[in-house]
Amino acid sequence: MNLQQLRCICEVAQQGLNLSRAAKTLFTSQPGISRQILQLEEELGVKVFERSGKRLVAVTEPGQEILRIAQRVLLDTRNLKEVAHEFGQAASGELTIATTHTQARYVLPQVIKRFMKRYPKVKLSLRQGNPNEIAQMAINGQADFAIATEAIARYEQLVSFECYQWNRCILVLPGHPLLKEKQVTLEALAMYPIITYDLNFAGRSLMNKAFEEKGLTPNVALAAIDADVIKTYVGLGLGIGIVAAMAYDKSQDRAFRMLDASHLFEPSITRLGIRRHCYLRAYAYEFIEMFAPHLNHRTIADALHQ
């Protein structure tokens, strides 16, 4: 048994049992991966995957437990390397953050600027996706941690930390009838085509919930994955935009008029998710504290290793 065999079964599972994609990710050949899996299965005396001909079609019951253990072994191997780097090269290394477009575009830039000034030798990478995708990146070790509003708290493999609350605003073009309202209502919003986030993004579920509780069905004409796309289509006059309040910049978004919507929707909570028992470098803790000052090293470390 060796680490490459464990990497192979974990990557195959992560790639939906697609051997060619797993081989590409691991920089090897499809026959090479098949050989590693067969050797591991022979040594263990059980099948990790069910097959139909040459195709892998499912993970067996013992295979599910083997995969969980293999993922822990690979995580601990990575932790060992991080410990060595921590004491050998404390101010250099890599930090990978998985996050959504809204966080990367509107919240993280100033934090990243401070961090890069403090740690110029640390290679910082941002991986973007929807909340479920970035949660999986943290779980699978593709990212050190994930930052998003939705999904993070739903995964038991992640320790979830609350970072901050936010709410929404409404973007309209000058002269729009909503600007004449003393206070915008959900009934008024339901009269117009709405351009807002995709169902997997930025508190969309709370927006839907607010309309449902009033017995209303919002006319979502277009759903997008980021606020910049929403603004583009609002600018074309295709509807009103409902976006995260932090996505509105008065100096840059002069083409729009902004209406507060915090009285209409429950606030959303942006969370940070870290894989349980993950070892973080000191600079990773410092990045987190720059982003969410109430999350200090001890608070995070204690939670990770409970």
Side-chain angles (χ1 to χ4, degrees), residues 263-276:
H263 62 290
L264 299 176
F265 308 107
E266 292 180 31
S268 291
I269 300 174
T270 291
R271 298 176 184 271
L272 182 141
I274 309 173
R275 181 169 175 164
R276 293 184 186 280

Side-chain angles (χ1 to χ4, degrees), residues 52-88:
S52 175
K54 294 184 178 181
R55 291 177 57 248
L56 304 182
V57 295
V59 179
T60 65
E61 185 175 350
Q64 292 173 2
E65 185 59 33
I66 290 167
L67 280 168
R68 281 193 286 269
I69 295 171
Q71 289 166 349
R72 290 201 300 270
V73 171
L74 293 175
L75 176 63
D76 285 342
T77 302
R78 180 182 175 184
N79 287 345
L80 286 172
K81 293 179 180 179
E82 293 297 340
V83 171
H85 285 306
E86 184 69 46
F87 290 94

Side-chain angles (χ1 to χ4, degrees), residues 117-163:
K117 185 176 181 180
R118 174 73 176 84
Y119 291 99
K121 294 184 179 180
V122 174
K123 181 182 176 182
L124 185 62
S125 300
L126 289 180
R127 293 195 174 189
Q128 294 183 51
N130 68 45
N132 289 303
E133 290 170 342
I134 67 172
Q136 286 296 337
M137 290 179 197
I139 291 168
N140 296 329
Q142 297 170 293
D144 294 286
F145 49 82
I147 300 172
T149 297
E150 301 278 6
I152 297 291
R154 296 201 296 264
Y155 291 89
E156 62 179 17
Q157 302 98 316
L158 298 176
V159 181
S160 169
F161 302 92
E162 292 188 6
C163 297

Side-chain angles (χ1 to χ4, degrees), residues 170-184 192 256-259:
I170 302 157
L171 299 181
V172 298
L173 293 175
H176 194 281
L178 282 177
L179 295 170
K180 298 177 181 179
E181 301 279 343
K182 289 184 178 180
Q183 188 176 61
V184 178
Y192 301 97
F256 306 109
R257 299 294 179 266
M258 187 273 284
L259 296 166

